Amino acid sequence: MKVGVLAVQGAFAEMEAYWRGKGADVFEIRQRADLAQGLDLLALPGGESTVQGKLLKDLGLFDPLKERIDGGLPVFATCAGLILLAEKIDDPGRRDGTRPEKWFGVLPVMVRRNAYGRQLGSFMTYGVFDGQPNVPMTFIRAPAITAVSPDVEVLSTHLGAPTAVRWRNITAFTWHPELAF
Ligand code: GLN
């Protein structure tokens, strides 16, 4: 399987190591030409969603990736990657109360950025993921999923709120699966 890892900012090295560990043929997506080789899965790593979103647009990667995601390419996303996919984004850190623009806006969920606080908001817990118990779940300045559309499958929760979801071709996490499996 050929996995393209978005490598413009953030924790892409961890995402690459994860997929290599699964035996995938991994390559980095840094510019538009990288997409020419074709991919079976797109992996969106953690990082800073605003920076990643802007870079995607500046590098001309945004439209071709959106086209592929809309076309059903499997996507595996964590944290900032989830924020890039969400239909609605809420950012309590914005003093002017405005809602940040959405990016790909394809996944029918609402996310709140930095929902557990800023620096001290990183923590680890164990939980059930897709029926599998005791999965270590690391949250790093994580967003929270505050609403999901009824056709979204919830794969894990923390304090009652969804922390991993599956919808059509997309699997997305607020915690870091690449540090867990
Ligand atoms: N806080 C980051 C954001 O809002 C996400 C954190 C992460 O990807 N670990 O984009």
Side-chain angles (χ1 to χ4, degrees), residues 82-109:
L82 161 69
I83 296 168
L84 290 181
L85 294 167
E87 242 174 32
K88 289 186 187 146
I89 306 171
D90 181 18
D91 189 344
R94 293 205 162 196
R95 299 228 171 110
D96 59 3
T98 55
R99 179 169 288 177
E101 66 181 296
K102 62 180 179 192
W103 300 101
F104 293 122
V106 288
L107 181 64
V109 303

Side-chain angles (χ1 to χ4, degrees), residues 163-178:
T163 53
V165 293
R166 190 185 290 136
W167 180 79
R168 298 190 186 167
N169 49 318
I170 297 172
T171 308
F173 302 76
T174 64
W175 45 280
H176 285 260
E178 76 279 17

Side-chain angles (χ1 to χ4, degrees), residues 45-50 78-81 83 113-114 140-143 176:
E48 226 15 76
S49 55
T50 311
T78 180
C79 231
I83 296 168
R113 294 187 65 205
N114 302 309
I140 305 171
R141 297 188 58 218
H176 285 260

Side-chain angles (χ1 to χ4, degrees), residues 3-173:
V3 173
V5 175
L6 181 67
V8 294
Q9 189 272 341
F12 50 85
E14 288 80 358
M15 193 58 106
E16 288 164 21
Y18 170 78
W19 283 106
R20 277 203 188 94
K22 301 248 174 259
D25 176 7
V26 173
F27 70 98
E28 293 186 342
I29 302 173
R30 290 176 177 268
Q31 53 186 348
R32 207 175 169 131
D34 296 328
L35 295 172
Q37 56 186 301
L39 62 165
D40 304 310
L41 182 140
L42 170 66
L44 300 177
E48 226 15 76
S49 55
T50 311
V51 177
Q52 292 184 2
K54 284 187 177 140
L55 285 169
L56 283 175
K57 293 203 167 169
D58 290 352
L59 294 164
L61 280 166
F62 188 85
D63 292 335
L65 285 178
K66 171 131 173 60
E67 206 170 283
R68 283 169 174 79
I69 297 167
D70 288 342
L73 175 70
V75 184
F76 183 89
T78 180
C79 231
L82 161 69
I83 296 168
L84 290 181
L85 294 167
E87 242 174 32
K88 289 186 187 146
I89 306 171
D90 181 18
D91 189 344
R94 293 205 162 196
R95 299 228 171 110
D96 59 3
T98 55
R99 179 169 288 177
E101 66 181 296
K102 62 180 179 192
W103 300 101
F104 293 122
V106 288
L107 181 64
V109 303
M110 169 128 144
V111 294
R112 179 178 301 135
R113 294 187 65 205
N114 302 309
Y116 304 94
R118 295 225 169 232
Q119 292 311 329
L120 294 174
S122 300
F123 61 98
M124 196 193 142
T125 181
Y126 289 85
V128 179
F129 171 76
D130 204 10
Q132 189 181 332
N134 295 319
V135 174
M137 300 174 173
T138 308
F139 295 79
I140 305 171
R141 297 188 58 218
I145 299 172
T146 51
V148 296
S149 109
D151 55 341
V152 170
E153 187 187 352
V154 175
L155 301 174
S156 66
T157 59
H158 177 65
L159 304 176
T163 53
V165 293
R166 190 185 290 136
W167 180 79
R168 298 190 186 167
N169 49 318
I170 297 172
T171 308
F173 302 76

